[in-house]
């Protein structure tokens, strides 16, 4: 199975991707996580990506497509792949189609998690991430048991630089301009399924699970 999670920043793609990949044995591929990991390790990819990420802009397509191509070389999870945060431009989507065609693979479904913008700003500004394992929290909607400490691994929680209000606004703008056209792109290919992302985490997960159970 090859799934894509699509949606604006703060829609809950990362949280849902964690749970879905576990339930359906998918390899969770998050381009944002891969980039943040490269930054943490001081790798050349990270150094290059950082200037874009900190401004709320997209990392160039060529760099991102290279990362995805490499990940798709692996066997994935027993159930396949879950792409989270990729593609983010029509050019990336076209490149993905080419890569998959070469491998004799195809996309099974693109799940759009839909949330309105006001709600997204509220969510992003309260978001916290574990420095060690990358788990996501929210100070109001999904607080850890102990303030600033990850429930799973005990790591320190922090606010991503790109979750500051100015950068969030820029990321929303970039989403509308560059990523939203993918909704029409995948609708035209009959791959798009829409989920109401305004529900709580469990509600969204149930809706996605129903969609995936119908695919199997
Ligand atoms: P995310 O964690 O998915 O919100 O990604 C954080 C940041 O990483 C984005 O704001 C972009 O700067 C960069 N990024 C992640 N995925 C992509 C992608 N597919 N294309 C371009 N930039 C990306």
């Amino acid at each position: 199975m090859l799934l894509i999670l699509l949606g604006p920043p703060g829609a809950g793609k990362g949280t849902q991707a964690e749970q879905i990949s576990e339930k359906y044995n998918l390899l969770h591929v998050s381009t944002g996580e891969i980039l943040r990991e490269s930054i943490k390790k001081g790798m050349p990819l990270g150094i290059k990506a950082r200037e874009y990420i900190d401004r709320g802009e997209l990392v160039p397509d060529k760099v991102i497509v290279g990362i995805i191509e490499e990940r798709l070389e692996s066997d994935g999870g027993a159930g396949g792949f879950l792409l989270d945060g990729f593609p983010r431009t029509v050019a990336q989507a076209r490149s993905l189609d080419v890569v998959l065609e070469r491998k004799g693979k195809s996309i099974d479904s693109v799940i759009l998690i839909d949330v309105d913008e006001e709600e997204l700003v509220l969510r992003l500004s309260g978001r916290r991430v574990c420095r060690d394992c990358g788990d996501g929290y929210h100070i109001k909607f999904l607080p850890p048991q102990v303030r600033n400490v990850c429930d799973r691994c005990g790591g320190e929680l922090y606010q991503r630089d790109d979750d500051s209000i100015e950068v969030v606004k820029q990321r929303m703008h970039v989403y509308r301009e560059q990523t939203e056209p993918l909704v029409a792109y995948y609708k035209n290919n009959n791959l798009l399924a829409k989920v109401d992302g305004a529900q709580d985490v469990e509600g969204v997960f149930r809706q996605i699970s129903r969609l995936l159970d119908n695919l199997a």
Side-chain angles (χ1 to χ4, degrees):
M1 184 149 69
L2 201 141
L3 286 181
I4 293 173
L5 269 191
L6 187 65
K13 297 190 295 293
T15 308
Q16 294 299 329
E18 284 289 330
Q19 301 191 11
I20 296 164
S21 53
E22 199 180 316
K23 180 169 178 189
Y24 295 92
N25 285 315
L26 304 172
L27 180 72
H28 174 197
V29 181
S30 157
T31 41
E33 262 311 308
I34 293 168
L35 296 172
R36 279 188 290 280
E37 211 33 49
S38 315
I39 292 173
K40 205 161 94 181
K41 291 185 180 148
M43 289 157 74
L45 168 68
I47 294 165
K48 194 167 169 190
R50 179 156 206 173
E51 34 180 311
Y52 297 96
I53 295 177
D54 284 352
R55 288 199 303 259
E57 284 165 15
L58 295 183
V59 172
D61 290 336
K62 229 175 115 189
V63 176
I64 294 288
V65 171
I67 296 175
I68 286 291
E69 229 176 328
E70 195 190 302
R71 295 291 150 134
L72 291 177
E73 283 301 324
S74 79
D75 291 337
F81 293 91
L82 171 59
L83 306 186
D84 155 19
F86 176 91
R88 256 175 156 101
T89 64
V90 171
Q92 289 180 14
R94 292 210 173 103
S95 300
L96 177 64
D97 289 343
V98 172
V99 171
L100 291 177
E101 202 180 326
R102 229 173 22 226
K103 293 181 190 300
K105 292 183 179 163
S106 58
I107 300 165
D108 293 283
S109 186
V110 178
I111 297 172
L112 170 67
I113 307 182
D114 198 30
V115 186
D116 72 40
E117 196 161 325
E118 217 174 293
E119 168 80 11
L120 291 172
V121 174
L122 198 76
R123 287 186 182 186
L124 287 170
S125 53
R127 187 157 83 165
R128 298 292 180 272
V129 184
C130 175
R131 228 177 253 294
D132 296 335
C133 74
D135 254 18
Y137 295 86
H138 191 282
I139 51 172
K140 196 164 151 209
F141 306 130
L142 194 66
Q145 278 167 12
V146 179
R147 198 165 171 262
N148 285 334
V149 178
C150 176
D151 290 347
R152 179 150 81 163
C153 77
E156 183 200 2
L157 304 186
Y158 76 108
Q159 180 174 40
R160 282 167 43 174
D161 289 340
D162 61 346
D163 281 344
S164 71
I165 195 81
E166 300 76 31
V167 183
V168 162
K169 283 192 178 146
Q170 172 61 14
R171 288 164 67 200
M172 294 297 173
H173 174 74
V174 167
Y175 177 79
R176 277 194 305 269
E177 296 283 312
Q178 301 193 49
T179 308
E180 214 162 48
L182 289 177
V183 174
Y185 183 88
Y186 287 122
K187 214 183 230 170
N188 287 339
N189 295 351
N190 282 325
L191 287 170
L192 195 81
K194 196 159 135 180
V195 166
D196 175 15
Q199 309 168 73
D200 59 16
V201 173
E202 289 72 30
V204 178
F205 181 61
R206 268 197 305 276
Q207 211 182 330
I208 296 178
S209 294
R210 270 199 299 275
L211 281 171
L212 297 184
D213 291 342
N214 284 337
L215 269 185

